Amino acid sequence: MSPTTRRRLLESALAGGLVGLTGCSGVSNPASGTTGAPSTGSTPTTATDEDEESGAGRPAPLPESVALERLATGLEAPVDVAFAPDADRRYVVDQPGRILVHESGTLRDEPFLDLGDAVEAGGEKGLLGLALHPGFAGNRRLFVRYSAPVREGTPSSYSHTFVLAEFTATEDGTRAPLEGERTVLEIPQPQPNHNAGSVAFGPDGYLYVGVGDGGGSDDQGEGHVEDWYDPVEGGNGQDVTGNLLGGVLRIDVDGRADGKGYAVPDDNPLVGREGFDEQYAWGLRNPWRLSFDDGDCFVADVGQDEYEEVNLLERGGNYGWNVKEGTHCFEADDCPDETPSDVRGGESLIDPIVEYPHSGDDVSGVSVIGGHVYRGAAIPGLRGRYVFGDLEADGRLFVSTRAEGDGSWSTDVVPLGGDGDDALERLLSFGRDGEGEVYALGRGEDGGGVYRLTPDG
């Protein structure tokens, strides 16, 4: 598929020209002075042998299909959902710029947060991510990631400004007043695509922020810098000194240092070395969604023309873009598997745990949509497995099972039963509640909706 064809597919994926898409092991242990483990809405307890078939300790057989329980419809482009730790309440992010409250079986008329004209939406821009603070039940703090019109400090020729902002919800948890906004971080975005958008608290209490490579194709064009790899000109993914694009950031939102709205953890990999201290990993193209499971962080990174990938995040990891697309050399017949010794001492280009092509049978698609490891009780055959999908859902989800050792995970197709094909014509995101149940978000015949995965039949 050519870059032009793929771009047109993504731009037309949703009504109104909204979302066009994109995608952690080795996460540090809890550090002193952090807020502790995430709330129950973020990280359920890890499965034990009781979650698996008795006897051999093997996972239960995969279900032949799964069904979707409709929770909410009528949204424009639902791209994220967060679960209140202290109430039966869900916060649904709609890309044009609103967060809605779902409780008592319905969406509240009054939005939780309406950013209005503060958000520049369209294509891959908009309100893209939400993370509740680990202490949300007590402090009501939350963090959102959105695209804003060009702000001071962003070149006038650039597309927009990446904004990470903090809000405080009301005591009853139903509203987040606009006047309480605090800007935490701004990043100039040279082009309108490859914005990533996912934000998530890790088990160390720090906030992990996915950042795309700056847009365009090939990791080139305006806003892209020179890097060490000559066969493909330039690239923010392989550079850690020119800007904060093309990786995953890790910051302490409970601290303030150096005039910034956050502090940098002392054990970030570039602290005391050349490069931006905020960077935790790099070599990513468009990490649309990331999620944690018991210390592992899964980063789904959208490819360009041929391959999609899911990675396990490592401290200081280099995931290869734009030297590689997945495990394959990009725009070259041959390419290295590591950086030169004069580039951060030499570092391996880490292969994904999951890769699938843009053409072929079964596991194929156009843009990976990162999911979650299932830890619920409703569908035993999914327990302990990573559930994800593709923007072009085609009546199916993907389920990956951990490999022995450090190899690639096996990936299977699980069909959507019932009217799942009509409900999710375009898959946009996933969520996981405090009980470990997984939710799918996307667009179908009823517009944008939120659905809980349930047994089929």
Side-chain angles (χ1 to χ4, degrees):
M1 180 183 295
S2 71
T4 299
T5 301
R6 185 168 187 270
R7 182 168 60 251
R8 286 174 179 169
L9 170 64
L10 298 180
E11 289 174 348
S12 64
L14 298 175
L18 297 173
V19 165
L21 291 176
T22 97
C24 293
S25 146
V27 173
S28 302
N29 291 326
S32 61
T34 67
T35 56
S39 67
T40 57
S42 300
T43 305
T45 303
T46 302
T48 66
D49 289 341
E50 295 178 357
D51 296 318
E52 301 173 340
E53 283 189 323
S54 58
R58 293 186 299 271
L62 280 169
E64 294 184 0
S65 60
V66 296
L68 298 176
E69 177 188 359
R70 180 185 288 107
L71 299 182
T73 57
L75 299 157
E76 289 292 327
V79 295
D80 207 354
V81 59
F83 300 85
D86 56 343
D88 183 16
R89 179 181 301 127
R90 288 150 287 279
Y91 300 104
V92 183
V93 177
D94 208 8
Q95 189 182 359
R98 300 198 307 165
I99 299 176
L100 304 170
V101 174
H102 181 269
E103 61 182 358
S104 302
T106 188
L107 291 171
R108 290 175 59 97
D109 292 335
E110 183 181 14
F112 175 71
L113 175 65
D114 188 347
L115 287 168
D117 293 339
V119 171
E120 185 166 302
E124 295 181 28
K125 298 180 293 184
L127 179 55
L128 303 176
L130 165 66
L132 305 183
H133 190 277
F136 179 79
N139 62 29
R140 293 304 193 211
R141 296 170 64 195
L142 59 132
F143 297 82
V144 301
R145 154 80 171 87
Y146 65 90
S147 309
V150 169
R151 292 186 175 183
E152 184 179 355
T154 295
S156 60
S157 60
Y158 275 27
S159 167
H160 62 283
T161 302
F162 164 125
V163 176
L164 174 69
E166 177 181 357
F167 291 86
T168 303
T170 54
E171 186 175 349
D172 65 2
T174 63
R175 291 184 301 108
L178 273 174
E179 57 268 22
E181 180 174 8
R182 178 180 77 88
T183 298
V184 178
L185 171 67
E186 296 178 348
I187 300 175
Q189 293 282 164
Q191 301 183 45
N193 58 343
H194 301 183
N195 296 319
S198 195
V199 289
F201 281 96
D204 50 16
Y206 296 131
L207 187 65
Y208 291 71
V209 183
V211 186
D213 67 7
S217 60
D218 304 337
D219 201 2
Q220 297 177 28
E222 182 173 18
H224 297 267
V225 300
E226 294 183 0
D227 65 10
W228 60 269
Y229 184 60
D230 293 334
V232 180
E233 181 182 354
N236 292 323
Q238 288 302 314
D239 178 79
V240 298
T241 63
N243 51 54
L244 291 171
L245 301 171
V248 174
L249 313 180
R250 176 179 182 250
I251 60 175
D252 178 5
V253 295
D254 294 323
R256 308 280 192 280
D258 301 324
K260 300 176 181 178
Y262 56 89
V264 173
D266 291 339
D267 60 346
N268 271 12
L270 298 181
V271 171
R273 302 171 60 193
E274 184 180 23
F276 283 91
D277 292 347
E278 293 89 342
Q279 303 225 40
Y280 190 77
W282 40 89
L284 295 168
R285 181 178 183 271
N286 195 10
W288 169 241
R289 298 290 93 173
L290 62 84
S291 67
F292 281 92
D293 179 70
D294 192 36
D296 285 337
C297 182
F298 296 80
V299 182
D301 193 22
V302 172
Q304 182 156 301
D305 292 327
E306 297 186 27
Y307 296 97
E308 302 299 308
E309 65 184 83
V310 179
N311 302 282
L312 276 179
L313 194 70
E314 296 182 14
R315 178 181 179 274
N318 183 337
Y319 293 90
W321 176 252
N322 62 0
V323 179
K324 293 184 175 184
E325 183 179 10
T327 61
H328 305 266
C329 296
F330 179 73
E331 298 291 325
D333 294 330
D334 189 31
C335 61
D337 291 321
E338 58 185 21
T339 66
S341 59
D342 61 352
V343 177
R344 296 177 294 279
E347 57 194 22
S348 297
L349 305 184
I350 301 172
D351 285 342
I353 58 168
V354 173
E355 175 185 86
Y356 66 87
H358 284 196
S359 60
D361 299 328
D362 298 330
V363 183
S364 63
V366 296
S367 289
V368 65
I369 304 298
H372 291 265
V373 173
Y374 182 87
R375 297 297 184 188
I379 313 175
L382 296 182
R383 196 170 298 134
R385 292 180 161 113
Y386 180 68
V387 180
F388 68 111
D390 191 85
L391 171 69
E392 205 164 75
D394 197 24
R396 75 219 151 117
L397 299 177
F398 300 150
V399 178
S400 286
T401 303
R402 187 182 294 269
E404 294 290 337
D406 298 325
S408 298
W409 292 31
S410 61
T411 302
D412 296 280
V413 171
V414 175
L416 293 172
D419 64 353
D421 197 3
D422 294 331
L424 284 181
E425 295 172 352
R426 292 290 185 268
L427 178 64
L428 301 179
S429 191
F430 287 88
R432 187 176 73 174
D433 67 20
E435 301 302 318
E437 300 296 339
V438 170
Y439 298 68
L441 289 73
R443 280 190 61 91
E445 288 188 346
D446 296 327
V450 180
Y451 302 86
R452 181 163 41 213
L453 272 58
T454 62
D456 187 24

